[in-house]
Amino acid sequence: MSTSNHAPELQTPLLYDIVDGSVDHKGRPVYRSNSGGWRSAGFIIGVEVAERFAYYGISSNLITYLTGPLGQSTATAAENVNLWAGTATLLPILGASVADSFLGRYTTIIVASLIYILGLGLLTLSALLSTHTATDLPCSPPLFQLTLFFFALYLVAIGESGHKPCAQAFGADQFDGHDAQESKAKSSFFNWWYCCKSGGTMVTLLILNYIQDNLNWGLGFGIPCTAMLISLVIFLLGTKMYRYSVKVDKKSAFLRIGSVFVSSIRNWRTTPSAIALEEEARGTLPHPSSEQYMFLNKALLAPNGSKEDGKVCSLSDVEEAKALLRLVPIWTSCLVFAVVFAQRSTLFTKQAVTMDRSISHGIDFPAASLQFFINLSIVLFIPIYDRIFVPLARALTRKSSGITMLQRIGTGIVLSVMTMVIAALVEMKRLKTAQEHGLVDLPDVTIPMSVWWLIPQYVLLGIAESFTMVGLQEFFYDQVPSDLRSVGISLNLSIFGTGNFLSSFLISVIEKATGGNGRYSWFDNNLNRAHLDYFYWLLAGMSVVQMAFYVYSAKSYIYNRRGAV
C-alpha cells in the first residue's frame, strides 16, 4: 500500500525531465538530466573546430597554391577560389535536404566526414606528386596532377555540403527551446560556436599557412586530413549523450511546403470570398505574419473550390510556406556583404604578398596568415558581446537576446561598408608608395610599406562577421519550420556561396572591361599597375545600396512565434 502511494511522487520528476520531441540514440525517450545541453554540444563544437581547421587549411591559402605551383594568373586564381568556395557553400542546401528528409543529421555528418577525409587525402596525394616545393617558381603542372587536384578539391566541397549545415543544426538541437534556461543557452550556443571555430581557424592561419609557404604543400594538406579523422572520432564519442530530433510529421517538409506553392498556382482563379470562408471555417489566423503572402491561402481549397481529403493543404502547411518566403528579402539583401566577405582570402591576400612582411631576420609573415587577425578579433569580441553587451542590452530592451537578430545582422552590414572604405584607402596608399619608390614596373620587388597597414580592414571585417555571420546563423535556424533546421543553416551558407559566385562574376566582367588593347586591368598580375582600390570603392558603393534595401526588408519582417525576441 505504502509503495503504491509513493510511486507517483517518484515518477513525477522523471516525467517532467523528459525532453519532448527528442529521443536518444536507440529511439527511447531522452531525459534532460543526462543528455543534451552543453555536455553534448561541447563534442559537436570540438568537431567544428577540427573541421574549420581543415577547411581553412585549404581555402585561406588556396590562391597562393593556384598562382604558385599551378601557375595561374591572379584573376584566374581569384575566380577559381570564388567558384570553389561558392560551390562549397551552396551545396549544403542539397546536403541539408538529404539530412532533413532521409538520413537524419547524425548519419549525414558521419557520411559527409568520410567523403571529406577522402577528398583531403587525394588533395594531399596531388600535392605530393608535384616535384616542386613551396618556394619554387610557378609552372604548368602535369594534366593528371591538375585533374586530381580539382577532383579532390570539389570532393571536399561535397563533404562540406553535408557536414557544415548538419553539425551546427545538430548542436543547436541539444538545447530545448521550450525550456527557459536552455532557450537562453541556445542563443549563447551560436556565439560560442562561432568563437570556438574562429579559434580553430586562427591555429590554421598561424601554423598551416607557414608550412605551406615555406616547407611543403603535401604536409600542409596532410595535416588537415588528420584533423578531420580526429574530428570524426570526437563526434562518435558523444553518440550516447546526444539528443536526436523526432519528426512530428512523417510527410517530408519539402513535400508539404512544395504542395502549398503548387496548390496556390492551381487555384489562382479562386475568389477571395471563398478563401475567407475557408479561413473562417478553420479558425482565426494563428499569427500576425499570416496577413502576409495571402495568395498562398489559396492552397486551403481544392481547384474546384471543394475540400476533398488529401487534395488540400493544412493551415500549418501554409504558415510554413509563408515562413520560408519571408526569408527571401533578408537573404537577398545580404548578398553584397557576402561579396565583401569573399575578398579576405583572395584580393586581400594578394595585396599582402607585395608588402613588407618581415617580422625578424629572414622570416616573413605569411600573407594568408593575416586572416588570423579576423579570427582574433572574433575570439576577443564575441565573449564581450555575449557576457557584457547582451546583459546590458537585455536590461534596456527587455529582450532575451539583448537586440533582435535582424538588428545584429544590420550592424555587421554597416561595419562592412567601413571595411571597404578603409581597404580602398590603404590600397591607394600602397599604390602611391610603389610609385614614389619607382617600383611600378617591378612587381616582384617588395614595396617598402609594412603589411600591418592592412590590419584595420581585417579587424573591422572580423567584428562585422561577429555581428552578421552569427546573427544570420541564429536567424535562419530559428525562423524555418523545425523539420527544416539543417536547410535553414544551409540557406545562410548559400548567401556566401552566391556571394562567391557574384564576386567571381564581377572580377571576370571587370577584367574583360578594363583589360586588353594594351591596358592594365583592375586585377592585372602586376598589382602595382592594377587598381584594386577602384574595386573596393565599387564594393563600398554597392554595400551602401544593399544597406538601404536591408533596412527596408528588416523593418517589414515579422518574426514567427519562436523567433519573436
Side-chain angles (χ1 to χ4, degrees):
M1 181 72 69
S2 59
T3 304
S4 60
N5 288 337
H6 289 290
E9 296 179 16
L10 293 173
Q11 292 174 2
T12 299
L14 293 177
L15 291 174
Y16 280 113
D17 198 39
I18 292 176
V19 181
D20 291 334
S22 297
V23 295
D24 67 5
H25 66 293
K26 292 186 177 180
R28 301 170 300 193
V30 67
Y31 296 98
R32 196 182 313 279
S33 59
N34 60 4
S35 70
W38 287 110
R39 66 172 69 81
S40 55
F43 280 94
I44 303 170
I45 288 175
V47 169
E48 178 67 6
V49 170
E51 188 276 329
R52 289 291 87 184
F53 176 85
Y55 179 80
Y56 281 103
I58 301 169
S59 66
S60 64
N61 210 17
L62 184 57
I63 193 167
T64 304
Y65 188 77
L66 293 176
T67 55
L70 296 191
Q72 296 186 344
S73 68
T74 298
T76 300
E79 289 175 29
N80 278 328
V81 171
N82 286 327
L83 286 172
W84 175 74
T87 301
T89 42
L90 274 179
L91 276 180
I93 293 179
L94 178 60
S97 302
V98 171
D100 286 347
S101 299
F102 304 106
L103 296 181
R105 288 161 199 155
Y106 175 82
T107 304
T108 302
I109 292 170
I110 294 175
V111 173
S113 296
L114 293 173
I115 296 173
Y116 210 132
I117 292 166
L118 176 61
L120 289 169
L122 292 176
L123 203 63
T124 304
L125 177 61
S126 73
L128 291 174
L129 290 175
S130 174
T131 57
H132 306 280
T133 65
T135 56
D136 283 337
L137 294 174
C139 63
S140 297
L143 179 61
F144 172 75
Q145 181 195 345
L146 197 64
T147 303
L148 180 61
F149 174 80
F150 279 103
F151 173 76
L153 195 64
Y154 279 88
L155 201 59
V156 168
I158 293 172
E160 174 82 355
S161 72
H163 194 287
K164 186 62 178 172
C166 295
Q168 189 170 18
F170 192 57
D173 287 345
Q174 306 309 308
F175 301 92
D176 181 9
H178 299 290
D179 179 83
Q181 292 301 318
E182 290 199 23
S183 181
K184 288 182 180 179
K186 178 182 283 189
S187 185
S188 288
F189 166 77
F190 287 96
N191 288 325
W192 292 105
W193 170 275
Y194 212 79
C195 181
C196 291
K197 90 175 189 63
S198 297
T201 305
M202 285 170 58
V203 177
T204 299
L205 298 172
L206 283 179
I207 299 175
L208 281 186
N209 288 165
Y210 181 83
I211 291 173
Q212 291 167 350
D213 284 357
N214 298 281
L215 299 178
N216 184 277
W217 282 99
L219 182 61
F221 290 146
I223 293 174
C225 183
T226 305
M228 276 305 297
L229 276 169
I230 294 172
S231 77
L232 180 57
V233 173
I234 292 173
F235 180 71
L236 293 174
L237 288 175
T239 299
K240 292 184 178 180
M241 65 179 67
Y242 295 143
R243 293 176 186 171
Y244 303 82
S245 296
V246 178
K247 291 190 68 172
V248 178
D249 195 325
K250 292 183 179 180
K251 186 178 179 182
S252 167
F254 286 100
L255 293 177
R256 295 200 312 269
I257 294 171
S259 64
V260 172
F261 288 100
V262 172
S263 297
S264 299
I265 294 171
R266 286 177 178 173
N267 297 349
W268 67 276
R269 291 183 177 179
T270 304
T271 61
S273 59
I275 299 171
L277 288 172
E278 181 60 21
E279 290 171 352
E280 184 178 349
R282 299 200 187 196
T284 57
L285 295 175
H287 191 258
S289 62
S290 302
E291 299 292 342
Q292 293 181 314
Y293 308 119
M294 293 292 287
F295 67 90
L296 289 178
N297 289 15
K298 294 181 179 182
L300 296 172
L301 291 171
N304 59 3
S306 66
K307 307 174 188 177
E308 303 171 40
D309 291 337
K311 300 278 187 174
V312 297
C313 300
S314 69
L315 197 57
S316 62
D317 292 343
V318 172
E319 290 306 307
E320 286 186 343
K322 289 181 180 180
L324 282 184
L325 200 56
R326 282 197 300 274
L327 299 177
V328 174
I330 303 299
W331 187 94
T332 306
S333 61
C334 292
L335 288 176
V336 180
F337 177 86
V339 175
V340 171
F341 186 77
Q343 309 316 313
R344 70 183 207 162
S345 60
T346 54
L347 300 181
F348 281 15
T349 300
K350 292 304 293 182
Q351 271 182 289
V353 169
T354 68
M355 301 169 74
D356 181 11
R357 295 176 285 116
S358 59
I359 52 178
S360 67
H361 182 68
I363 300 178
D364 288 343
F365 194 81
S369 291
L370 282 174
Q371 294 169 65
F372 164 86
F373 292 98
I374 293 178
N375 293 279
L376 178 63
S377 62
I378 292 171
V379 169
L380 294 177
F381 180 76
I382 284 183
I384 296 172
Y385 179 90
D386 191 75
R387 297 302 180 186
I388 299 176
F389 177 81
V390 170
L392 289 175
R394 188 181 292 148
L396 295 173
T397 64
R398 304 298 178 186
K399 299 180 186 295
S400 62
S401 58
I403 59 176
T404 67
M405 291 176 278
L406 290 176
Q407 288 171 341
R408 181 173 187 171
I409 295 166
T411 303
I413 291 176
V414 172
L415 292 174
S416 73
V417 177
M418 298 169 60
T419 299
M420 282 296 96
V421 170
I422 291 174
L425 292 173
V426 172
E427 177 61 8
M428 290 172 65
K429 167 70 174 174
R430 191 190 69 82
L431 292 174
K432 185 178 180 181
T433 303
Q435 188 175 25
E436 289 174 348
H437 289 81
L439 301 176
V440 173
D441 293 312
L442 298 172
D444 296 326
V445 177
T446 300
I447 294 173
M449 177 179 173
S450 175
V451 76
W452 307 126
W453 276 84
L454 298 177
I455 299 301
Q457 68 197 56
Y458 279 98
V459 170
L460 199 56
L461 187 58
I463 298 174
E465 195 175 328
S466 299
F467 278 100
T468 298
M469 290 286 281
V470 181
L472 283 171
Q473 289 175 355
E474 185 176 2
F475 177 78
F476 278 95
Y477 174 88
D478 188 85
Q479 296 296 294
V480 298
S482 57
D483 287 355
L484 294 177
R485 284 172 175 168
S486 296
V487 172
I489 297 295
S490 70
L491 285 174
N492 162 52
L493 294 171
S494 71
I495 294 173
F496 297 91
T498 305
N500 276 286
F501 283 125
L502 287 175
S503 178
S504 180
F505 173 75
L506 275 174
I507 291 173
S508 178
V509 170
I510 293 171
E511 172 77 4
K512 292 177 181 177
T514 60
N517 298 322
R519 296 178 299 171
Y520 294 99
S521 78
W522 289 8
F523 309 104
D524 195 86
N525 286 340
N526 179 1
L527 287 190
N528 300 335
R529 287 285 187 182
H531 272 291
L532 297 185
D533 54 333
Y534 292 174
F535 185 58
Y536 293 158
W537 283 119
L538 174 64
L539 291 184
M542 291 171 63
S543 296
V544 171
V545 175
Q546 167 208 238
M547 187 168 59
F549 178 47
Y550 175 81
V551 170
Y552 173 80
S553 301
K555 281 187 174 181
S556 61
Y557 186 83
I558 301 174
Y559 289 96
N560 65 29
R561 290 182 296 278
R562 285 181 292 106
V565 292

